[in-house]
Amino acid sequence: MFKTLGNIIKWIGQHFMGMLFLLIAFVVLMPSSTTQLSTANLQEIKLAGPIMSADTILKEIEKAQKDKNIKGVLLNVDSPGGAVPPSIEIAYAIKELKKHKPVVAYASGIMASGSYYASIYANTIIANPGSIVGSIGVIMESANVEELMKTIGVKTQIVKQGTFKEAGTPTREWTPEERAELETLTKDTYELFISDVAKARGLDVSKAKDYADAHIFSSKRAKEAGLIDTIGVKSQAKAEVAKLAKVAKPSWKEKDKLESFMEQFATKSILELRSYFYGLKASVL
């Protein structure tokens, strides 16, 4: 049995590139379910999975902004959040895009933490009735593997300059001074998060505990807190984009089949894998 299994694995290894080529060829050549008969005037951009990098979505936003045929954009969000910098990058890119054409952010599943941050500057935010919204907070974490290292007989050797250069180390428990330093960092990031949300949504910063403080809201409660504008389904969100864009005959841009396939096969999988190993950093996840 093991020999047979080994032969199968060996065969897959030897023919992997050929199989991958055939799979890509199949995706490219397979007939499309719909044919785009007119020039697209609306575009959907998806923000899905953990936010570890903003490069891909920033390119999409930039293309949509420069494309004179595109009159409005739907930002379809289903993400638990992620790292701080890329979340802010997306938020400010949407803010700039809104100057040129309307943007509707739609919470199709989860719009929390970094993905909520990324959505705040849209013209309007619509959430699916069953979606989860909010979790406005910041976390910084690291494992403490000191006992494990003692068990297996591993010791660290460190040369450092700077009192807090080792702050956040996983090799031992943090000192009170290191913890205080890291808490200051997360507090600064949290205050930035709250400030941007308050400005974008017209909320009172002094009442941040009502809508922030890492509360996790249902769509109904998110609307009551002022984090979203409307509760609805995707068809309503798309209709709102067309309305704001003043498009009489909506025609949504379709992604190239190869581009769509490679995006699912590579980018999303890699980013999801990286989310488990990105180490110590401030995160709005």
Side-chain angles (χ1 to χ4, degrees), residues 139-146 160 163-186 279-282:
I139 184 172
M140 178 174 282
E141 60 184 355
S142 176
N144 183 352
V145 298
E146 184 176 6
K160 66 177 181 179
T163 303
F164 300 105
K165 194 60 181 177
E166 204 181 352
T169 178
T171 61
R172 57 168 173 77
E173 186 175 352
W174 302 340
T175 66
E177 293 77 16
E178 289 172 335
R179 182 173 291 276
E181 183 78 0
L182 296 175
E183 285 178 350
T184 299
L185 177 59
T186 56
L280 176 74
K281 60 182 72 175

Short mmCIF file of all heavy atoms in Angstrom, two decimals, residues 139-146 160 163-186 279-282:
data_model
loop_
_atom_site.label_atom_id
_atom_site.label_comp_id
_atom_site.label_asym_id
_atom_site.label_seq_id
_atom_site.Cartn_x
_atom_site.Cartn_y
_atom_site.Cartn_z
N ILE A 139 -4.90 44.70 18.63
CA ILE A 139 -4.29 43.65 19.45
C ILE A 139 -2.85 43.41 19.01
O ILE A 139 -2.54 43.51 17.81
CB ILE A 139 -5.11 42.33 19.36
CG1 ILE A 139 -4.53 41.27 20.30
CG2 ILE A 139 -5.14 41.82 17.93
CD1 ILE A 139 -5.38 40.01 20.41
N MET A 140 -1.98 43.15 19.96
CA MET A 140 -0.62 42.75 19.67
C MET A 140 -0.33 41.52 20.53
O MET A 140 -0.54 41.54 21.74
CB MET A 140 0.37 43.88 20.01
CG MET A 140 1.82 43.50 19.78
SD MET A 140 2.95 44.91 20.02
CE MET A 140 2.71 45.78 18.49
N GLU A 141 0.11 40.46 19.90
CA GLU A 141 0.30 39.23 20.66
C GLU A 141 1.53 38.47 20.20
O GLU A 141 2.01 38.64 19.08
CB GLU A 141 -0.94 38.33 20.52
CG GLU A 141 -1.25 37.93 19.10
CD GLU A 141 -2.53 37.13 18.96
OE1 GLU A 141 -3.14 36.80 20.00
OE2 GLU A 141 -2.92 36.82 17.83
N SER A 142 2.03 37.62 21.09
CA SER A 142 3.16 36.76 20.78
C SER A 142 3.13 35.58 21.75
O SER A 142 2.70 35.73 22.90
CB SER A 142 4.48 37.53 20.93
OG SER A 142 5.58 36.67 20.72
N ALA A 143 3.54 34.44 21.29
CA ALA A 143 3.59 33.26 22.16
C ALA A 143 4.73 33.39 23.17
O ALA A 143 5.70 34.11 22.94
CB ALA A 143 3.77 32.00 21.32
N ASN A 144 4.61 32.70 24.30
CA ASN A 144 5.69 32.58 25.27
C ASN A 144 6.14 31.12 25.28
O ASN A 144 5.48 30.25 25.84
CB ASN A 144 5.21 33.00 26.67
CG ASN A 144 6.34 32.96 27.70
OD1 ASN A 144 7.44 32.48 27.42
ND2 ASN A 144 6.07 33.46 28.89
N VAL A 145 7.26 30.86 24.60
CA VAL A 145 7.73 29.48 24.45
C VAL A 145 8.89 29.18 25.40
O VAL A 145 9.65 28.22 25.17
CB VAL A 145 8.16 29.22 22.99
CG1 VAL A 145 6.98 29.38 22.05
CG2 VAL A 145 9.30 30.14 22.57
N GLU A 146 9.00 29.95 26.47
CA GLU A 146 10.12 29.78 27.40
C GLU A 146 10.16 28.37 27.99
O GLU A 146 11.23 27.73 28.02
CB GLU A 146 10.02 30.82 28.53
CG GLU A 146 11.19 30.78 29.49
CD GLU A 146 11.11 31.88 30.55
OE1 GLU A 146 10.08 32.58 30.60
OE2 GLU A 146 12.08 32.02 31.31
N LYS A 160 22.12 43.34 22.31
CA LYS A 160 21.17 44.37 21.88
C LYS A 160 21.60 45.74 22.39
O LYS A 160 22.32 45.87 23.38
CB LYS A 160 19.76 44.04 22.39
CG LYS A 160 19.62 44.09 23.90
CD LYS A 160 18.18 43.82 24.34
CE LYS A 160 18.06 43.91 25.86
NZ LYS A 160 16.70 43.68 26.33
N THR A 163 16.81 49.77 25.30
CA THR A 163 16.09 49.09 26.37
C THR A 163 14.97 48.21 25.85
O THR A 163 14.76 47.10 26.34
CB THR A 163 15.50 50.15 27.34
OG1 THR A 163 16.55 50.97 27.84
CG2 THR A 163 14.79 49.47 28.51
N PHE A 164 14.24 48.68 24.83
CA PHE A 164 13.04 47.96 24.39
C PHE A 164 13.24 47.18 23.09
O PHE A 164 12.27 46.80 22.44
CB PHE A 164 11.88 48.95 24.23
CG PHE A 164 11.54 49.68 25.51
CD1 PHE A 164 11.90 50.99 25.70
CD2 PHE A 164 10.86 49.02 26.53
CE1 PHE A 164 11.60 51.66 26.87
CE2 PHE A 164 10.55 49.67 27.71
CZ PHE A 164 10.91 50.99 27.89
N LYS A 165 14.51 46.94 22.72
CA LYS A 165 14.78 46.26 21.46
C LYS A 165 14.24 44.83 21.46
O LYS A 165 13.93 44.27 20.40
CB LYS A 165 16.29 46.24 21.19
CG LYS A 165 16.65 45.86 19.76
CD LYS A 165 16.04 46.83 18.76
CE LYS A 165 16.36 46.44 17.33
NZ LYS A 165 15.72 47.34 16.37
N GLU A 166 14.10 44.24 22.63
CA GLU A 166 13.62 42.86 22.72
C GLU A 166 12.15 42.80 23.12
O GLU A 166 11.61 41.72 23.37
CB GLU A 166 14.46 42.09 23.76
CG GLU A 166 14.46 40.59 23.54
CD GLU A 166 15.28 39.86 24.60
OE1 GLU A 166 15.96 40.51 25.41
OE2 GLU A 166 15.22 38.61 24.63
N ALA A 167 11.48 43.94 23.17
CA ALA A 167 10.06 43.97 23.54
C ALA A 167 9.24 43.14 22.56
O ALA A 167 9.39 43.25 21.35
CB ALA A 167 9.55 45.41 23.55
N GLY A 168 8.42 42.26 23.09
CA GLY A 168 7.60 41.40 22.26
C GLY A 168 8.22 40.05 21.96
O GLY A 168 7.66 39.26 21.20
N THR A 169 9.39 39.77 22.53
CA THR A 169 10.06 38.49 22.28
C THR A 169 9.19 37.31 22.72
O THR A 169 8.50 37.38 23.74
CB THR A 169 11.40 38.43 23.03
OG1 THR A 169 11.99 37.14 22.79
CG2 THR A 169 11.23 38.60 24.53
N PRO A 170 9.19 36.21 21.96
CA PRO A 170 8.44 35.02 22.36
C PRO A 170 9.25 34.07 23.24
O PRO A 170 8.75 33.04 23.68
CB PRO A 170 8.13 34.36 21.01
CG PRO A 170 9.32 34.69 20.18
CD PRO A 170 9.73 36.09 20.59
N THR A 171 10.52 34.42 23.50
CA THR A 171 11.40 33.48 24.21
C THR A 171 11.28 33.56 25.73
O THR A 171 11.85 32.74 26.45
CB THR A 171 12.86 33.72 23.83
OG1 THR A 171 13.25 35.05 24.19
CG2 THR A 171 13.05 33.51 22.33
N ARG A 172 10.56 34.56 26.24
CA ARG A 172 10.38 34.70 27.69
C ARG A 172 9.18 35.60 27.96
O ARG A 172 8.61 36.21 27.04
CB ARG A 172 11.62 35.32 28.32
CG ARG A 172 11.99 36.68 27.74
CD ARG A 172 13.03 37.41 28.55
NE ARG A 172 13.49 38.63 27.90
CZ ARG A 172 12.80 39.77 27.85
NH1 ARG A 172 11.59 39.84 28.43
NH2 ARG A 172 13.29 40.84 27.23
N GLU A 173 8.80 35.67 29.22
CA GLU A 173 7.70 36.57 29.60
C GLU A 173 8.17 38.02 29.49
O GLU A 173 9.32 38.34 29.83
CB GLU A 173 7.26 36.27 31.04
CG GLU A 173 6.03 37.05 31.47
CD GLU A 173 5.55 36.66 32.86
OE1 GLU A 173 6.08 35.67 33.41
OE2 GLU A 173 4.64 37.34 33.38
N TRP A 174 7.30 38.89 29.02
CA TRP A 174 7.65 40.29 28.88
C TRP A 174 7.80 40.95 30.25
O TRP A 174 7.06 40.65 31.19
CB TRP A 174 6.59 41.04 28.09
CG TRP A 174 6.35 40.49 26.72
CD1 TRP A 174 7.18 39.70 25.99
CD2 TRP A 174 5.18 40.68 25.92
NE1 TRP A 174 6.63 39.38 24.78
CE2 TRP A 174 5.39 39.97 24.70
CE3 TRP A 174 3.99 41.37 26.09
CZ2 TRP A 174 4.45 39.94 23.69
CZ3 TRP A 174 3.05 41.35 25.08
CH2 TRP A 174 3.27 40.64 23.90
N THR A 175 8.73 41.88 30.34
CA THR A 175 8.89 42.63 31.59
C THR A 175 7.76 43.67 31.67
O THR A 175 7.15 44.02 30.65
CB THR A 175 10.24 43.37 31.62
OG1 THR A 175 10.23 44.39 30.60
CG2 THR A 175 11.40 42.41 31.39
N PRO A 176 7.47 44.18 32.87
CA PRO A 176 6.43 45.21 33.01
C PRO A 176 6.71 46.43 32.13
O PRO A 176 5.79 47.02 31.56
CB PRO A 176 6.49 45.57 34.49
CG PRO A 176 6.99 44.32 35.15
CD PRO A 176 7.98 43.75 34.19
N GLU A 177 7.99 46.80 31.99
CA GLU A 177 8.35 47.95 31.18
C GLU A 177 8.09 47.68 29.69
O GLU A 177 7.60 48.56 28.96
CB GLU A 177 9.83 48.30 31.38
CG GLU A 177 10.19 48.82 32.77
CD GLU A 177 10.28 47.71 33.81
OE1 GLU A 177 10.37 46.52 33.41
OE2 GLU A 177 10.24 48.03 35.01
N GLU A 178 8.41 46.46 29.25
CA GLU A 178 8.16 46.10 27.85
C GLU A 178 6.67 46.07 27.55
O GLU A 178 6.22 46.55 26.50
CB GLU A 178 8.78 44.74 27.55
CG GLU A 178 10.30 44.75 27.50
CD GLU A 178 10.90 43.36 27.40
OE1 GLU A 178 10.23 42.38 27.83
OE2 GLU A 178 12.03 43.23 26.91
N ARG A 179 5.90 45.51 28.47
CA ARG A 179 4.45 45.45 28.29
C ARG A 179 3.87 46.87 28.19
O ARG A 179 3.01 47.14 27.35
CB ARG A 179 3.80 44.68 29.44
CG ARG A 179 2.29 44.54 29.31
CD ARG A 179 1.74 43.62 30.39
NE ARG A 179 2.16 42.24 30.15
CZ ARG A 179 1.52 41.41 29.33
NH1 ARG A 179 0.45 41.82 28.66
NH2 ARG A 179 1.94 40.19 29.17
N ALA A 180 4.34 47.76 29.06
CA ALA A 180 3.86 49.14 29.04
C ALA A 180 4.20 49.82 27.71
O ALA A 180 3.39 50.58 27.15
CB ALA A 180 4.46 49.93 30.20
N GLU A 181 5.38 49.53 27.18
CA GLU A 181 5.80 50.10 25.90
C GLU A 181 4.89 49.63 24.77
O GLU A 181 4.46 50.43 23.92
CB GLU A 181 7.25 49.70 25.60
CG GLU A 181 7.83 50.28 24.32
CD GLU A 181 8.25 51.73 24.46
OE1 GLU A 181 8.09 52.30 25.58
OE2 GLU A 181 8.74 52.29 23.47
N LEU A 182 4.58 48.34 24.76
CA LEU A 182 3.72 47.78 23.73
C LEU A 182 2.28 48.26 23.88
O LEU A 182 1.57 48.47 22.88
CB LEU A 182 3.78 46.25 23.76
CG LEU A 182 5.15 45.64 23.44
CD1 LEU A 182 5.12 44.13 23.62
CD2 LEU A 182 5.59 46.00 22.03
N GLU A 183 1.84 48.43 25.10
CA GLU A 183 0.50 48.96 25.34
C GLU A 183 0.38 50.40 24.83
O GLU A 183 -0.67 50.79 24.31
CB GLU A 183 0.15 48.89 26.83
CG GLU A 183 -0.17 47.47 27.29
CD GLU A 183 -0.46 47.39 28.78
OE1 GLU A 183 -0.23 48.39 29.49
OE2 GLU A 183 -0.92 46.33 29.23
N THR A 184 1.44 51.17 24.97
CA THR A 184 1.45 52.54 24.44
C THR A 184 1.31 52.53 22.92
O THR A 184 0.57 53.33 22.34
CB THR A 184 2.75 53.27 24.82
OG1 THR A 184 2.84 53.34 26.24
CG2 THR A 184 2.79 54.67 24.25
N LEU A 185 2.00 51.59 22.28
CA LEU A 185 1.93 51.46 20.83
C LEU A 185 0.52 51.11 20.37
O LEU A 185 -0.02 51.72 19.43
CB LEU A 185 2.93 50.40 20.35
CG LEU A 185 2.93 50.09 18.85
CD1 LEU A 185 3.23 51.32 18.03
CD2 LEU A 185 3.93 48.98 18.54
N THR A 186 -0.09 50.11 21.01
CA THR A 186 -1.45 49.71 20.62
C THR A 186 -2.45 50.82 20.92
O THR A 186 -3.42 51.00 20.18
CB THR A 186 -1.87 48.42 21.33
OG1 THR A 186 -1.75 48.58 22.76
CG2 THR A 186 -1.00 47.24 20.90
N GLY A 279 3.92 36.83 12.70
CA GLY A 279 4.72 37.26 13.84
C GLY A 279 4.11 38.41 14.61
O GLY A 279 2.95 38.73 14.50
N LEU A 280 4.95 39.07 15.39
CA LEU A 280 4.49 40.13 16.26
C LEU A 280 4.37 41.43 15.50
O LEU A 280 5.32 41.92 14.93
CB LEU A 280 5.47 40.32 17.42
CG LEU A 280 5.16 41.47 18.37
CD1 LEU A 280 3.98 41.11 19.24
CD2 LEU A 280 6.36 41.80 19.22
N LYS A 281 3.19 42.01 15.50
CA LYS A 281 2.97 43.34 14.93
C LYS A 281 1.60 43.81 15.38
O LYS A 281 0.72 43.01 15.69
CB LYS A 281 3.07 43.35 13.42
CG LYS A 281 2.08 42.46 12.70
CD LYS A 281 2.29 42.50 11.19
CE LYS A 281 3.54 41.77 10.80
NZ LYS A 281 3.70 41.70 9.34
N ALA A 282 1.45 45.11 15.45
CA ALA A 282 0.14 45.66 15.80
C ALA A 282 -0.85 45.25 14.74
O ALA A 282 -0.57 45.30 13.55
CB ALA A 282 0.21 47.18 15.91
#
